[in-house]
Amino acid sequence: MAAKRENRPFRSAPLYLRLDINQNMAKELPTRAEDYSQWYVDIVKKADLAENSDVRGCMIIKPYGYAIWEKMQQQLDKMFKETGHVNAYFPLFVPKSMFEAEEKNAEGFAKECAIVTHYRLKTDPNNKGKLIVDPEAKLEEELVVRPTSEAIIWNTYKKWVQSHRDLPILINQWANVVRWEMRTRLFLRTAEFLWQEGHTAHATSQDAEKETLQMLDVYADFIENFMAVPVIKGKKSDGEKFPGAIDTYCIEALMQDGKALQAGTSHFLGQNFAKAFNVQYSNKEGKLEYVWGTSWGVSTRLIGGLIMAHSDDDGLILPPKLAPIHVVVVPIFKNEEELNKVTVAVEPMLKELRSMGLSVKFDNRETHKPGFKFAEYEMKGVPVRIAIGPRDLENGTIEVARRDTKEKRVMKYGDASREIPMLLDEIQKNLYARALKLRADRTTYVDSFKQFKEVLDGKGGFILAHWDGTPETEARIKDETKATVRCIPLDAKEEAGTCVYSGKLSMRRVLFARAY
RNA sequence: CGGGGCGUAGCGCAGCCCGGUAGCGCGCCACGUUCGGGACGUGGAGGUCGUAGGUUCGAAUCCUGCCGCCCCGACCA
């Protein structure tokens, strides 16, 4: 039997496309309307992106999910390099005393830190085959598992910076961090997650502020043009900003259920960390000055956002620019002879599409029927599917189906190499347009607290309303409605008004929403 | 940390109230028929019933402790 199979051309998809190791491809998904959060969890599992691990709050990112992360990484990394950054790597462990140095930062993260206290186990004398922590192996100083790396990085920058000639330092790192969250959700909030964190040091406040906003723009560019999700750029209120930052800028995206997702943050750190870690340089006049800093990051949470922004009741929908597989080709056949014919016929097209840089999977598994495969790739969000069978061979045609609209059409075989790239482009644009329309439909200008609550409990979404700017009002609104100030949009117009809660004077509308 | 729920085959669950040696669906394996939207038939494999102890002739089932997970709340850069 093995010999019989070996003779078949294209018996297996290339290894790099074999991302389909899930054997439990399930049938039905709850609809978004029925149960949005169950729908989300089911997509993550059924599209084979990730699963819960045996460690509470942690997830196993499966090959298909990780492939999406790799696409994101590739593109972001390219954009970081284009803006002058280089990659480096700093340790996972931060000595507690170092972590404490920037007081606000330490306080802000203290409640969710994992701590290493010992460095050795030993066999349990009272319980054969079991291990216990060796009390002899207690660390003199505990190590904090990084929830973010400012401390260890600024402690290092201290050694790297003496002169203005040493600046700026423009470093990014791809890493994992741990935040011991009380409640977790796959991709959106996990105890351990993957991210990138940029940490830069500058001679002047202006340079650092410019960097902060530049990276915010890079994120917005990436999320809009690659993830096809429109974002609102803004500044966080004091209550929501990063501990240790002077200003936190963010981008906020709207999900299909009307909740907001913070998709990335960029912090202007001022001289807070430079002072905490004593990072000083001699300026051109020979005077010592503290360095100015920034930090910025996006995480695997973006994958959660990607899912929630576009997908439908049949499964995941991926924008072509981030899809691990752009096109899947499903042969229709009754027997080996027919499969061989289809395979021979389809080969030049596969070659040509691949030569254009497209990731094309030819799924010639004989173990599943076409209908099963159609459903499977729909669940996995592959943007374009081509079906080709005996009927097509006679007519010189292929059947092309697009995932975003589920439209199918028949085209001439020879047109594929021209039409498919155009179609992928159109899908990318359509997803963005759709998401933009959703956001427009779900953004409401609100002028009273009554209306504020009605909108939240009705269609949800973004609310643009006046706010008096005080933390007290923000907290009360949060208590009463669970909505928070997502950001003060950068493009907010000056407009005199009164706070929807307190009635006090406000000069601009801010963005409110319930958020993930 | 407070309130609730749940741990039985790879996954989802029934069985527990009323104790008698474990079952269903999906998946998996084999063969045959199928194959243009999630095929079907026949046969088969697979379980320390979370864990430790107690009651009993006998425990998945009753009792106690422990562990873990999920949901709600608190919390969440």
Side-chain angles (χ1 to χ4, degrees), chain A residues 25-29 46-47 312-316 328 330 363 365 368-382 385 403 406:
Chain A
M25 191 56 66
K27 310 221 162 163
E28 289 294 317
L29 216 52
K46 289 174 182 169
D312 66 16
D313 294 341
D314 295 315
L316 190 62
V328 62
V330 178
D363 185 355
R365 285 176 298 169
H368 297 278
K369 293 175 62 178
F372 179 91
K373 294 178 186 174
F374 292 173
E376 182 179 351
Y377 293 110
E378 271 161 20
M379 184 63 78
K380 291 184 155 197
V382 176
R385 180 186 76 232
R403 177 64 182 87
K406 311 263 317 256

mmCIF file of all heavy atoms in Angstrom, chain A residues 25-29 46-47 312-316 328 330 363 365 368-382 385 403 406, chain B residues 37-39:
data_model
loop_
_atom_site.group_PDB
_atom_site.id
_atom_site.type_symbol
_atom_site.label_atom_id
_atom_site.label_comp_id
_atom_site.label_asym_id
_atom_site.label_seq_id
_atom_site.Cartn_x
_atom_site.Cartn_y
_atom_site.Cartn_z
ATOM 1 N N MET A 25 -11.680 18.506 13.654
ATOM 2 C CA MET A 25 -12.381 19.569 12.951
ATOM 3 C C MET A 25 -13.863 19.408 13.224
ATOM 4 O O MET A 25 -14.485 18.463 12.775
ATOM 5 C CB MET A 25 -12.086 19.468 11.454
ATOM 6 C CG MET A 25 -12.537 20.666 10.673
ATOM 7 S SD MET A 25 -11.863 22.222 11.266
ATOM 8 C CE MET A 25 -10.129 21.978 10.902
ATOM 9 N N ALA A 26 -14.385 20.310 13.954
ATOM 10 C CA ALA A 26 -15.758 20.132 14.391
ATOM 11 C C ALA A 26 -16.737 20.735 13.395
ATOM 12 O O ALA A 26 -16.340 21.368 12.435
ATOM 13 C CB ALA A 26 -15.948 20.769 15.748
ATOM 14 N N LYS A 27 -17.992 20.492 13.635
ATOM 15 C CA LYS A 27 -18.976 20.874 12.636
ATOM 16 C C LYS A 27 -19.539 22.269 12.836
ATOM 17 O O LYS A 27 -19.423 23.118 11.981
ATOM 18 C CB LYS A 27 -20.103 19.848 12.632
ATOM 19 C CG LYS A 27 -19.541 18.447 12.542
ATOM 20 C CD LYS A 27 -20.311 17.554 11.626
ATOM 21 C CE LYS A 27 -19.439 16.370 11.265
ATOM 22 N NZ LYS A 27 -20.065 15.237 10.729
ATOM 23 N N GLU A 28 -20.121 22.487 13.980
ATOM 24 C CA GLU A 28 -20.883 23.717 14.113
ATOM 25 C C GLU A 28 -20.246 24.707 15.072
ATOM 26 O O GLU A 28 -19.627 24.348 16.065
ATOM 27 C CB GLU A 28 -22.303 23.393 14.590
ATOM 28 C CG GLU A 28 -23.150 22.712 13.540
ATOM 29 C CD GLU A 28 -23.449 23.604 12.344
ATOM 30 O OE1 GLU A 28 -23.770 24.794 12.567
ATOM 31 O OE2 GLU A 28 -23.347 23.137 11.201
ATOM 32 N N LEU A 29 -20.439 25.944 14.720
ATOM 33 C CA LEU A 29 -19.971 27.044 15.535
ATOM 34 C C LEU A 29 -21.227 27.729 16.058
ATOM 35 O O LEU A 29 -22.198 27.854 15.318
ATOM 36 C CB LEU A 29 -19.240 27.997 14.588
ATOM 37 C CG LEU A 29 -18.016 28.785 14.950
ATOM 38 C CD1 LEU A 29 -16.940 27.903 15.525
ATOM 39 C CD2 LEU A 29 -17.506 29.480 13.708
ATOM 40 N N LYS A 46 -11.297 25.581 16.726
ATOM 41 C CA LYS A 46 -11.642 24.834 15.510
ATOM 42 C C LYS A 46 -10.826 25.277 14.300
ATOM 43 O O LYS A 46 -10.635 24.494 13.373
ATOM 44 C CB LYS A 46 -13.137 24.937 15.249
ATOM 45 C CG LYS A 46 -13.913 24.137 16.269
ATOM 46 C CD LYS A 46 -15.404 24.310 16.156
ATOM 47 C CE LYS A 46 -16.085 23.514 17.262
ATOM 48 N NZ LYS A 46 -17.512 23.848 17.381
ATOM 49 N N ALA A 47 -10.385 26.512 14.300
ATOM 50 C CA ALA A 47 -9.515 26.943 13.202
ATOM 51 C C ALA A 47 -8.085 26.531 13.506
ATOM 52 O O ALA A 47 -7.184 26.838 12.740
ATOM 53 C CB ALA A 47 -9.608 28.445 12.992
ATOM 54 N N ASP A 312 -16.671 35.331 10.601
ATOM 55 C CA ASP A 312 -18.125 35.207 10.551
ATOM 56 C C ASP A 312 -18.570 33.873 11.157
ATOM 57 O O ASP A 312 -17.757 33.153 11.736
ATOM 58 C CB ASP A 312 -18.646 35.386 9.121
ATOM 59 C CG ASP A 312 -18.200 34.261 8.193
ATOM 60 O OD1 ASP A 312 -17.752 33.206 8.684
ATOM 61 O OD2 ASP A 312 -18.296 34.446 6.967
ATOM 62 N N ASP A 313 -19.847 33.560 10.991
ATOM 63 C CA ASP A 313 -20.396 32.382 11.662
ATOM 64 C C ASP A 313 -19.918 31.065 11.047
ATOM 65 O O ASP A 313 -20.209 29.995 11.575
ATOM 66 C CB ASP A 313 -21.924 32.440 11.677
ATOM 67 C CG ASP A 313 -22.419 33.601 12.533
ATOM 68 O OD1 ASP A 313 -21.628 34.097 13.370
ATOM 69 O OD2 ASP A 313 -23.567 34.032 12.363
ATOM 70 N N ASP A 314 -19.193 31.153 9.949
ATOM 71 C CA ASP A 314 -18.609 29.939 9.370
ATOM 72 C C ASP A 314 -17.152 29.769 9.749
ATOM 73 O O ASP A 314 -16.508 28.807 9.323
ATOM 74 C CB ASP A 314 -18.729 29.968 7.837
ATOM 75 C CG ASP A 314 -20.180 29.936 7.395
ATOM 76 O OD1 ASP A 314 -20.939 29.134 7.957
ATOM 77 O OD2 ASP A 314 -20.566 30.732 6.514
ATOM 78 N N GLY A 315 -16.616 30.718 10.502
ATOM 79 C CA GLY A 315 -15.232 30.565 10.950
ATOM 80 C C GLY A 315 -14.391 31.800 10.721
ATOM 81 O O GLY A 315 -14.886 32.905 10.527
ATOM 82 N N LEU A 316 -13.107 31.551 10.738
ATOM 83 C CA LEU A 316 -12.110 32.604 10.624
ATOM 84 C C LEU A 316 -12.136 33.233 9.229
ATOM 85 O O LEU A 316 -12.414 32.546 8.248
ATOM 86 C CB LEU A 316 -10.749 31.952 10.868
ATOM 87 C CG LEU A 316 -9.507 32.805 11.046
ATOM 88 C CD1 LEU A 316 -9.647 33.687 12.272
ATOM 89 C CD2 LEU A 316 -8.284 31.899 11.197
ATOM 90 N N VAL A 328 -6.085 27.886 -1.563
ATOM 91 C CA VAL A 328 -6.071 26.432 -1.466
ATOM 92 C C VAL A 328 -6.724 25.873 -2.728
ATOM 93 O O VAL A 328 -7.737 26.389 -3.199
ATOM 94 C CB VAL A 328 -6.773 25.926 -0.188
ATOM 95 C CG1 VAL A 328 -8.252 26.315 -0.165
ATOM 96 C CG2 VAL A 328 -6.608 24.419 -0.055
ATOM 97 N N VAL A 330 -8.449 22.666 -4.321
ATOM 98 C CA VAL A 330 -9.076 21.394 -3.953
ATOM 99 C C VAL A 330 -9.438 20.624 -5.222
ATOM 100 O O VAL A 330 -10.279 21.071 -6.001
ATOM 101 C CB VAL A 330 -10.346 21.634 -3.109
ATOM 102 C CG1 VAL A 330 -11.024 20.305 -2.783
ATOM 103 C CG2 VAL A 330 -10.008 22.383 -1.829
ATOM 104 N N ASP A 363 -4.463 20.621 -1.897
ATOM 105 C CA ASP A 363 -4.904 19.623 -0.925
ATOM 106 C C ASP A 363 -5.401 18.385 -1.643
ATOM 107 O O ASP A 363 -6.586 18.251 -1.940
ATOM 108 C CB ASP A 363 -6.003 20.200 -0.032
ATOM 109 C CG ASP A 363 -6.381 19.223 1.072
ATOM 110 O OD1 ASP A 363 -5.858 18.089 1.082
ATOM 111 O OD2 ASP A 363 -7.203 19.604 1.929
ATOM 112 N N ARG A 365 -5.415 15.342 -0.461
ATOM 113 C CA ARG A 365 -5.709 14.219 0.438
ATOM 114 C C ARG A 365 -6.856 13.390 -0.119
ATOM 115 O O ARG A 365 -7.885 13.936 -0.536
ATOM 116 C CB ARG A 365 -6.104 14.739 1.831
ATOM 117 C CG ARG A 365 -4.949 15.241 2.657
ATOM 118 C CD ARG A 365 -5.444 15.823 3.965
ATOM 119 N NE ARG A 365 -6.328 16.989 3.737
ATOM 120 C CZ ARG A 365 -7.059 17.559 4.683
ATOM 121 N NH1 ARG A 365 -7.040 17.085 5.907
ATOM 122 N NH2 ARG A 365 -7.812 18.593 4.402
ATOM 123 N N HIS A 368 -10.295 12.709 2.626
ATOM 124 C CA HIS A 368 -11.436 13.576 2.908
ATOM 125 C C HIS A 368 -12.106 13.970 1.605
ATOM 126 O O HIS A 368 -11.454 14.146 0.589
ATOM 127 C CB HIS A 368 -10.973 14.831 3.655
ATOM 128 C CG HIS A 368 -10.379 14.522 4.988
ATOM 129 N ND1 HIS A 368 -11.140 14.303 6.109
ATOM 130 C CD2 HIS A 368 -9.103 14.361 5.378
ATOM 131 C CE1 HIS A 368 -10.355 14.040 7.137
ATOM 132 N NE2 HIS A 368 -9.107 14.066 6.722
ATOM 133 N N LYS A 369 -13.417 14.149 1.695
ATOM 134 C CA LYS A 369 -14.177 14.553 0.521
ATOM 135 C C LYS A 369 -14.075 16.059 0.325
ATOM 136 O O LYS A 369 -13.783 16.795 1.256
ATOM 137 C CB LYS A 369 -15.644 14.147 0.704
ATOM 138 C CG LYS A 369 -15.812 12.647 0.714
ATOM 139 C CD LYS A 369 -17.241 12.274 1.017
ATOM 140 C CE LYS A 369 -18.180 12.819 -0.056
ATOM 141 N NZ LYS A 369 -19.572 12.433 0.186
ATOM 142 N N PRO A 370 -14.365 16.498 -0.908
ATOM 143 C CA PRO A 370 -14.258 17.939 -1.177
ATOM 144 C C PRO A 370 -15.083 18.794 -0.218
ATOM 145 O O PRO A 370 -14.608 19.820 0.271
ATOM 146 C CB PRO A 370 -14.783 18.066 -2.605
ATOM 147 C CG PRO A 370 -14.532 16.734 -3.220
ATOM 148 C CD PRO A 370 -14.693 15.728 -2.114
ATOM 149 N N GLY A 371 -16.311 18.368 0.052
ATOM 150 C CA GLY A 371 -17.176 19.161 0.918
ATOM 151 C C GLY A 371 -16.558 19.376 2.286
ATOM 152 O O GLY A 371 -16.634 20.452 2.877
ATOM 153 N N PHE A 372 -15.927 18.357 2.781
ATOM 154 C CA PHE A 372 -15.249 18.449 4.063
ATOM 155 C C PHE A 372 -14.122 19.477 3.997
ATOM 156 O O PHE A 372 -13.966 20.324 4.872
ATOM 157 C CB PHE A 372 -14.697 17.065 4.441
ATOM 158 C CG PHE A 372 -13.954 17.033 5.745
ATOM 159 C CD1 PHE A 372 -14.611 16.739 6.924
ATOM 160 C CD2 PHE A 372 -12.595 17.317 5.800
ATOM 161 C CE1 PHE A 372 -13.933 16.717 8.131
ATOM 162 C CE2 PHE A 372 -11.911 17.301 6.998
ATOM 163 C CZ PHE A 372 -12.581 16.998 8.170
ATOM 164 N N LYS A 373 -13.365 19.399 2.912
ATOM 165 C CA LYS A 373 -12.250 20.340 2.751
ATOM 166 C C LYS A 373 -12.748 21.777 2.624
ATOM 167 O O LYS A 373 -12.166 22.696 3.202
ATOM 168 C CB LYS A 373 -11.429 19.964 1.518
ATOM 169 C CG LYS A 373 -10.717 18.621 1.641
ATOM 170 C CD LYS A 373 -9.971 18.287 0.360
ATOM 171 C CE LYS A 373 -9.387 16.885 0.428
ATOM 172 N NZ LYS A 373 -8.780 16.473 -0.861
ATOM 173 N N PHE A 374 -13.821 21.965 1.865
ATOM 174 C CA PHE A 374 -14.374 23.315 1.718
ATOM 175 C C PHE A 374 -14.674 23.900 3.094
ATOM 176 O O PHE A 374 -14.296 25.027 3.415
ATOM 177 C CB PHE A 374 -15.664 23.293 0.900
ATOM 178 C CG PHE A 374 -15.477 22.937 -0.553
ATOM 179 C CD1 PHE A 374 -16.571 22.742 -1.373
ATOM 180 C CD2 PHE A 374 -14.201 22.804 -1.108
ATOM 181 C CE1 PHE A 374 -16.407 22.414 -2.719
ATOM 182 C CE2 PHE A 374 -14.029 22.478 -2.442
ATOM 183 C CZ PHE A 374 -15.147 22.275 -3.253
ATOM 184 N N ALA A 375 -15.377 23.105 3.906
ATOM 185 C CA ALA A 375 -15.765 23.580 5.235
ATOM 186 C C ALA A 375 -14.545 23.842 6.090
ATOM 187 O O ALA A 375 -14.479 24.814 6.840
ATOM 188 C CB ALA A 375 -16.684 22.561 5.903
ATOM 189 N N GLU A 376 -13.556 22.990 5.966
ATOM 190 C CA GLU A 376 -12.343 23.113 6.765
ATOM 191 C C GLU A 376 -11.588 24.407 6.442
ATOM 192 O O GLU A 376 -11.164 25.133 7.343
ATOM 193 C CB GLU A 376 -11.450 21.902 6.498
ATOM 194 C CG GLU A 376 -10.178 21.896 7.314
ATOM 195 C CD GLU A 376 -9.324 20.663 7.052
ATOM 196 O OE1 GLU A 376 -9.792 19.737 6.362
ATOM 197 O OE2 GLU A 376 -8.182 20.644 7.535
ATOM 198 N N TYR A 377 -11.432 24.706 5.170
ATOM 199 C CA TYR A 377 -10.690 25.928 4.811
ATOM 200 C C TYR A 377 -11.494 27.173 5.074
ATOM 201 O O TYR A 377 -10.924 28.242 5.314
ATOM 202 C CB TYR A 377 -10.199 25.845 3.363
ATOM 203 C CG TYR A 377 -9.152 24.764 3.221
ATOM 204 C CD1 TYR A 377 -9.405 23.599 2.529
ATOM 205 C CD2 TYR A 377 -7.929 24.898 3.874
ATOM 206 C CE1 TYR A 377 -8.462 22.591 2.458
ATOM 207 C CE2 TYR A 377 -6.985 23.896 3.811
ATOM 208 C CZ TYR A 377 -7.248 22.739 3.114
ATOM 209 O OH TYR A 377 -6.320 21.750 3.070
ATOM 210 N N GLU A 378 -12.803 27.036 5.061
ATOM 211 C CA GLU A 378 -13.619 28.175 5.469
ATOM 212 C C GLU A 378 -13.404 28.435 6.955
ATOM 213 O O GLU A 378 -13.231 29.573 7.379
ATOM 214 C CB GLU A 378 -15.096 27.911 5.164
ATOM 215 C CG GLU A 378 -15.447 28.370 3.762
ATOM 216 C CD GLU A 378 -16.708 27.754 3.203
ATOM 217 O OE1 GLU A 378 -17.534 27.257 3.974
ATOM 218 O OE2 GLU A 378 -16.854 27.770 1.963
ATOM 219 N N MET A 379 -13.406 27.378 7.740
ATOM 220 C CA MET A 379 -13.158 27.533 9.173
ATOM 221 C C MET A 379 -11.790 28.184 9.416
ATOM 222 O O MET A 379 -11.630 28.984 10.323
ATOM 223 C CB MET A 379 -13.223 26.162 9.855
ATOM 224 C CG MET A 379 -13.076 26.201 11.366
ATOM 225 S SD MET A 379 -14.392 27.106 12.190
ATOM 226 C CE MET A 379 -15.715 25.897 12.157
ATOM 227 N N LYS A 380 -10.831 27.854 8.579
ATOM 228 C CA LYS A 380 -9.476 28.376 8.780
ATOM 229 C C LYS A 380 -9.220 29.704 8.082
ATOM 230 O O LYS A 380 -8.115 30.243 8.163
ATOM 231 C CB LYS A 380 -8.469 27.340 8.306
ATOM 232 C CG LYS A 380 -8.449 26.116 9.193
ATOM 233 C CD LYS A 380 -7.386 25.172 8.746
ATOM 234 C CE LYS A 380 -6.946 24.312 9.903
ATOM 235 N NZ LYS A 380 -5.667 23.675 9.643
ATOM 236 N N GLY A 381 -10.229 30.197 7.380
ATOM 237 C CA GLY A 381 -10.134 31.551 6.856
ATOM 238 C C GLY A 381 -9.237 31.743 5.649
ATOM 239 O O GLY A 381 -8.814 32.868 5.379
ATOM 240 N N VAL A 382 -8.947 30.679 4.915
ATOM 241 C CA VAL A 382 -8.113 30.832 3.713
ATOM 242 C C VAL A 382 -8.853 31.735 2.716
ATOM 243 O O VAL A 382 -9.996 31.452 2.365
ATOM 244 C CB VAL A 382 -7.814 29.453 3.088
ATOM 245 C CG1 VAL A 382 -7.045 29.597 1.791
ATOM 246 C CG2 VAL A 382 -7.047 28.593 4.083
ATOM 247 N N ARG A 385 -10.308 29.963 -2.497
ATOM 248 C CA ARG A 385 -10.305 28.532 -2.742
ATOM 249 C C ARG A 385 -10.561 28.285 -4.222
ATOM 250 O O ARG A 385 -11.442 28.906 -4.823
ATOM 251 C CB ARG A 385 -11.417 27.870 -1.933
ATOM 252 C CG ARG A 385 -11.472 26.355 -2.140
ATOM 253 C CD ARG A 385 -12.674 25.744 -1.454
ATOM 254 N NE ARG A 385 -13.907 25.992 -2.182
ATOM 255 C CZ ARG A 385 -15.005 26.501 -1.650
ATOM 256 N NH1 ARG A 385 -15.046 26.848 -0.383
ATOM 257 N NH2 ARG A 385 -16.081 26.693 -2.381
ATOM 258 N N ARG A 403 -13.430 33.823 0.395
ATOM 259 C CA ARG A 403 -13.892 33.564 1.752
ATOM 260 C C ARG A 403 -14.694 34.712 2.326
ATOM 261 O O ARG A 403 -15.624 34.499 3.097
ATOM 262 C CB ARG A 403 -12.679 33.258 2.658
ATOM 263 C CG ARG A 403 -13.007 33.043 4.122
ATOM 264 C CD ARG A 403 -13.883 31.828 4.302
ATOM 265 N NE ARG A 403 -14.257 31.637 5.697
ATOM 266 C CZ ARG A 403 -15.309 32.209 6.259
ATOM 267 N NH1 ARG A 403 -16.094 33.021 5.566
ATOM 268 N NH2 ARG A 403 -15.585 31.960 7.527
ATOM 269 N N LYS A 406 -18.093 34.742 0.299
ATOM 270 C CA LYS A 406 -18.528 33.390 -0.046
ATOM 271 C C LYS A 406 -18.999 33.288 -1.505
ATOM 272 O O LYS A 406 -19.646 32.324 -1.885
ATOM 273 C CB LYS A 406 -19.646 32.897 0.902
ATOM 274 C CG LYS A 406 -19.356 33.091 2.356
ATOM 275 C CD LYS A 406 -18.786 31.920 3.117
ATOM 276 C CE LYS A 406 -19.306 30.574 2.932
ATOM 277 N NZ LYS A 406 -20.162 30.075 3.995
ATOM 278 P P G B 37 -21.345 19.518 -4.086
ATOM 279 O OP1 G B 37 -22.031 18.227 -3.799
ATOM 280 O OP2 G B 37 -22.092 20.772 -4.176
ATOM 281 O "O5'" G B 37 -20.169 19.699 -3.000
ATOM 282 C "C5'" G B 37 -19.954 18.685 -2.002
ATOM 283 C "C4'" G B 37 -20.337 19.215 -0.635
ATOM 284 O "O4'" G B 37 -19.657 20.487 -0.417
ATOM 285 C "C3'" G B 37 -21.825 19.495 -0.439
ATOM 286 O "O3'" G B 37 -22.177 19.277 0.912
ATOM 287 C "C2'" G B 37 -21.931 20.994 -0.694
ATOM 288 O "O2'" G B 37 -23.003 21.610 0.001
ATOM 289 C "C1'" G B 37 -20.612 21.474 -0.129
ATOM 290 N N9 G B 37 -20.128 22.735 -0.671
ATOM 291 C C8 G B 37 -20.075 23.118 -1.978
ATOM 292 N N7 G B 37 -19.550 24.309 -2.131
ATOM 293 C C5 G B 37 -19.261 24.719 -0.839
ATOM 294 C C6 G B 37 -18.675 25.924 -0.366
ATOM 295 O O6 G B 37 -18.296 26.886 -1.024
ATOM 296 N N1 G B 37 -18.547 25.922 1.006
ATOM 297 C C2 G B 37 -18.942 24.889 1.821
ATOM 298 N N2 G B 37 -18.730 25.069 3.119
ATOM 299 N N3 G B 37 -19.472 23.768 1.415
ATOM 300 C C4 G B 37 -19.597 23.757 0.077
ATOM 301 P P G B 38 -22.179 17.725 1.444
ATOM 302 O OP1 G B 38 -22.206 16.663 0.442
ATOM 303 O OP2 G B 38 -23.212 17.777 2.497
ATOM 304 O "O5'" G B 38 -20.761 17.702 2.106
ATOM 305 C "C5'" G B 38 -20.463 18.599 3.141
ATOM 306 C "C4'" G B 38 -19.362 18.034 3.976
ATOM 307 O "O4'" G B 38 -18.921 19.052 4.894
ATOM 308 C "C3'" G B 38 -19.746 16.824 4.813
ATOM 309 O "O3'" G B 38 -18.567 16.043 4.915
ATOM 310 C "C2'" G B 38 -20.048 17.455 6.169
ATOM 311 O "O2'" G B 38 -19.775 16.534 7.240
ATOM 312 C "C1'" G B 38 -19.042 18.571 6.222
ATOM 313 N N9 G B 38 -19.313 19.717 7.062
ATOM 314 C C8 G B 38 -20.468 20.378 7.371
ATOM 315 N N7 G B 38 -20.274 21.405 8.155
ATOM 316 C C5 G B 38 -18.906 21.402 8.376
ATOM 317 C C6 G B 38 -18.082 22.255 9.134
ATOM 318 O O6 G B 38 -18.404 23.245 9.798
ATOM 319 N N1 G B 38 -16.760 21.879 9.081
ATOM 320 C C2 G B 38 -16.274 20.813 8.394
ATOM 321 N N2 G B 38 -14.968 20.585 8.442
ATOM 322 N N3 G B 38 -17.012 19.996 7.653
ATOM 323 C C4 G B 38 -18.313 20.363 7.704
ATOM 324 P P A B 39 -18.785 14.541 4.290
ATOM 325 O OP1 A B 39 -17.783 13.634 4.917
ATOM 326 O OP2 A B 39 -18.858 14.735 2.832
ATOM 327 O "O5'" A B 39 -20.253 14.148 4.735
ATOM 328 C "C5'" A B 39 -20.497 12.950 5.430
ATOM 329 C "C4'" A B 39 -21.222 12.001 4.507
ATOM 330 O "O4'" A B 39 -20.366 11.672 3.383
ATOM 331 C "C3'" A B 39 -21.541 10.677 5.148
ATOM 332 O "O3'" A B 39 -22.767 10.769 5.857
ATOM 333 C "C2'" A B 39 -21.637 9.749 3.949
ATOM 334 O "O2'" A B 39 -22.886 9.836 3.333
ATOM 335 C "C1'" A B 39 -20.572 10.339 3.016
ATOM 336 N N9 A B 39 -19.284 9.651 3.074
ATOM 337 C C8 A B 39 -18.100 10.123 3.562
ATOM 338 N N7 A B 39 -17.104 9.284 3.432
ATOM 339 C C5 A B 39 -17.676 8.184 2.813
ATOM 340 C C6 A B 39 -17.152 6.954 2.388
ATOM 341 N N6 A B 39 -15.873 6.619 2.534
ATOM 342 N N1 A B 39 -17.988 6.087 1.810
ATOM 343 C C2 A B 39 -19.272 6.431 1.663
ATOM 344 N N3 A B 39 -19.887 7.557 2.015
ATOM 345 C C4 A B 39 -19.026 8.402 2.581
#
